[in-house]
Amino acid sequence: MLKAILVTNTTNDYYLDSLKELENLALNLGIEKIDELIWNNKTINNNTFIGSGKILELKRAAEILSADIVIFDTVLTPNQFKHLDEILDIQIMDRSFVILQIFSLHARSEESILEVSLAEKEYLLPRLLGIRSNMSRQGGSSYNAKGPGETKLELDRRVLERDILNIKRKLSIIENKKDRNRDKRLNNNSFTVSLVGYTNAGKSSLMNSFIKVLESNNEEVLSENKLFATLETKIKRLKKKNDKPFLLVDTVGFISNLPTELIHSFNSTLDEIAASDLIILVIDGTSNNNMLELNTIYNILENIGANDIERITVVTKSDLTAYASDYDYISVSNNTLEGIDVLIETIYHYIHKNDSIFDLIIEYNKGNILNYIINNYKIIKLENTDIGTKVKLLISKEEHDTLLSYLHDSTYNI
Ligand SMILES: Nc1nc2c(ncn2[C@@H]2O[C@H](COP(=O)(O)OP(=O)(O)OP(=O)(O)O)[C@@H](O)[C@H]2O)c(=O)[nH]1
Ligand SMILES: [Mg+2]
């Protein structure tokens, strides 16, 4: 394992949580923390981030401890990068770079590879001067940075600029298609539930739990004990027997101080969240960083205008830990499936929130409409009468009106 010294400043309220998180992020890249340096000064040095005297102390510590890398828990400016590279005779990284590398390693689909590659190139472009010499450092061990899909990192300005334009063009084609799909879904009026939360909280596992409880023989989504296992949204249509279907959206995990270059790749996830009818806020019951994580999530939800969307808070991993908090939450385990039924009932409570009981008579020659209703709505009672099947069902006024229009349209065939 490569050995790193982590550096932070105490002006950040959450610096210790953030530093602990950075340690964990680095471990994902095979980099182990051997020491940390906490700079106790409110002013950030424009050239060296921490004070110029302190930087020499850092340099000595790195030599004595035979560190391979110094990681700064901040986004280093291109200028800081250049100066630090000149002073410290060692590989340098910042928080953005670490997160970008993790995304890079996990990108699999065409879209996520393009997104990560774009983010990486946009990050590198202004920092080329410092980074080029930093990465080509001779001697000692150093982290071998890669682009997504295991490509060598491109460090030529003109190539980078050309690639950025190309990738943007390809992405806009993919995004247009996604927007059209989302519009189609919105027009379809399906109730949409988004799983939202910090990376590794258990969102994808929760989606799998839903699939296990609500369906059999179904393909599961990837859930792994690694940060940012999910790099794009996944959508699944689910339904309880004899009830309305809903769409469940598994989204990309959040992290505090997300590199700005990566925000773009989160946009499609954020759009999905903002367009949903209900948010399930997923919290890792075993995490010690809950304040940092919750604040990050609350801020993002507020920024994307999702504060008005109703929310259920779910705490995962109840099989591992007893979680206690002041706010209302549903405790679940994706291992034992404890609590999943309660969660599904709660979701249905929201799905039916604006529904009331209506009666419809479906003539016997409209069997396809009857089938459609049985498969898509909560039926309370079915009864055969002289003129047709009488259905008592739980629907909204709008759904009732739509169904009536189907029934009155003699040409309509669902
Ligand atoms: N014991 C236990 N482990 C869980 C539970 N839920 C999730 N995990 C584990 O936690 C890890 C992360 O789970 P994921 O479902 O991939 O988390 P995620 O929120 O989708 O993470 P990202 O996609 O990275 O944002 C995996 O190793 C899961 O097996 C649970 O209820 N109990
Ligand atoms: Mg996931």
Side-chain angles (χ1 to χ4, degrees):
M1 265 227 219
L2 293 165
K3 295 185 283 182
I5 300 180
L6 270 47
V7 184
T8 186
N9 66 310
T10 52
T11 52
N12 179 341
D13 280 352
Y14 296 104
Y15 70 100
L16 281 182
D17 282 350
S18 179
L19 196 68
K20 212 158 24 149
E21 189 175 88
L22 181 65
E23 180 181 344
N24 192 17
L25 289 165
L27 267 180
N28 275 261
L29 299 181
I31 302 169
E32 171 194 24
K33 179 189 98 173
I34 49 162
D35 200 4
E36 60 191 24
L37 190 150
I38 298 168
W39 165 242
N40 261 317
N41 197 315
K42 292 254 180 298
T43 46
I44 303 284
N45 188 307
N46 285 337
N47 289 332
T48 48
F49 179 62
I50 57 175
S52 46
K54 202 78 182 167
I55 210 76
L56 296 175
E57 213 177 284
L58 175 64
K59 187 180 161 114
R60 265 196 308 279
E63 278 162 15
I64 293 166
L65 298 169
S66 320
D68 305 302
I69 305 167
V70 175
I71 311 179
F72 293 83
D73 193 10
T74 184
V75 186
L76 292 175
T77 62
N79 183 53
Q80 287 169 333
F81 217 102
K82 190 170 133 284
H83 279 92
L84 288 168
D85 176 58
E86 279 162 14
I87 301 167
L88 299 170
D89 189 22
I90 191 169
Q91 192 172 21
I92 301 160
M93 292 183 183
D94 63 5
R95 185 185 182 87
S96 288
F97 187 79
V98 172
I99 296 177
L100 281 166
Q101 280 294 299
I102 296 177
F103 269 71
S104 211
L105 293 176
H106 296 177
R108 290 286 172 272
S109 72
E110 185 197 0
E111 187 187 8
S112 53
I113 288 177
L114 287 171
E115 292 279 17
V116 175
S117 177
L118 177 65
E120 226 169 31
K121 289 173 198 295
E122 285 181 332
Y123 170 90
L124 287 174
L125 196 58
R127 295 175 176 82
L128 271 181
L129 218 55
I131 286 201
R132 212 186 272 132
S133 77
N134 200 257
M135 297 229 171
S136 56
R137 192 166 297 285
Q138 300 292 312
S141 6
S142 60
Y143 179 78
N144 186 6
K146 293 237 171 65
E150 307 282 295
T151 52
K152 193 165 157 285
L153 268 194
E154 180 57 62
L155 295 175
D156 182 278
R157 169 172 301 278
R158 271 187 314 189
V159 179
L160 277 174
E161 282 168 345
R162 194 196 58 206
D163 285 356
I164 286 174
L165 283 178
N166 271 337
I167 296 174
K168 281 187 173 162
R169 216 179 28 238
K170 285 186 191 157
L171 277 172
S172 77
I173 297 170
I174 297 179
E175 269 157 26
N176 281 340
K177 199 171 139 207
K178 272 198 157 170
D179 283 350
R180 280 202 304 279
N181 286 343
R182 182 164 38 239
D183 288 348
K184 241 194 257 162
R185 260 191 290 123
L186 287 178
N187 290 335
N188 229 344
N189 263 333
S190 306
F191 191 90
T192 306
V193 182
S194 291
L195 298 169
V196 175
Y198 221 66
T199 179
N200 216 42
K203 297 177 293 301
S204 301
S205 308
L206 194 55
M207 184 177 232
N208 287 335
S209 299
F210 274 97
I211 295 171
K212 277 183 206 142
V213 172
L214 293 173
E215 297 185 9
S216 48
N217 299 329
N218 239 300
E219 185 195 331
E220 295 189 355
V221 295
L222 173 82
S223 116
E224 271 182 83
N225 192 14
K226 64 182 192 188
L227 301 165
F228 308 111
T230 307
L231 285 187
E232 58 196 24
T233 51
K234 293 248 158 46
I235 302 171
K236 179 96 191 126
R237 184 178 184 271
L238 291 168
K239 81 190 273 297
K240 214 171 90 174
K241 204 159 175 257
N242 300 326
D243 216 321
K244 280 187 187 176
F246 62 96
L247 298 176
L248 188 67
V249 186
D250 181 18
T251 66
V252 181
F254 294 172
I255 184 116
S256 69
N257 299 320
L258 182 77
T260 44
E261 294 82 3
L262 271 175
I263 288 175
H264 183 258
S265 68
F266 273 77
N267 280 346
S268 61
T269 265
L270 298 180
D271 287 348
E272 288 294 343
I273 295 170
S276 55
D277 299 294
L278 176 67
I279 288 174
I280 300 185
L281 216 156
V282 186
I283 294 174
D284 183 342
T286 62
S287 165
N288 300 319
N289 272 349
N290 271 312
M291 280 319 291
L292 176 81
E293 298 178 8
L294 277 172
N295 273 296
T296 305
I297 300 169
Y298 290 154
N299 282 337
I300 295 176
L301 290 181
E302 191 177 337
N303 285 341
I304 60 170
N307 266 353
D308 295 338
I309 303 174
E310 294 192 276
R311 278 181 211 175
I312 306 175
T313 304
V314 169
V315 177
T316 58
K317 314 191 186 180
S318 67
D319 53 301
L320 295 179
T321 178
Y323 186 86
S325 183
D326 300 340
Y327 49 78
D328 270 350
Y329 63 90
I330 297 174
S331 179
V332 304
S333 163
N334 295 310
N335 277 9
T336 64
L337 299 183
E338 182 205 349
I340 303 294
D341 282 340
V342 179
L343 179 56
I344 292 172
E345 287 313 315
T346 312
I347 292 173
Y348 271 98
H349 164 81
Y350 284 96
I351 292 178
H352 289 303
K353 209 171 162 199
N354 301 314
D355 292 354
S356 358
I357 294 175
F358 285 93
D359 283 326
L360 288 173
I361 305 269
I362 295 140
E363 291 165 35
Y364 289 117
N365 61 358
K366 296 197 163 154
N368 47 357
I369 299 191
L370 179 63
N371 271 339
Y372 171 78
I373 291 178
I374 289 174
N375 286 328
N376 287 284
Y377 295 100
K378 184 169 177 73
I379 310 293
I380 294 164
K381 198 169 159 196
L382 278 178
E383 200 182 340
N384 287 333
T385 70
D386 293 346
I387 38 174
T389 310
K390 187 172 160 194
V391 189
K392 200 182 265 304
L393 71 175
L394 193 59
I395 45 177
S396 67
K397 177 81 179 63
E398 297 76 54
E399 285 167 333
H400 173 255
D401 294 347
T402 313
L403 288 176
L404 265 191
S405 70
Y406 291 167
L407 288 169
H408 289 155
D409 181 348
S410 55
T411 58
Y412 202 89
N413 208 354
I414 294 176

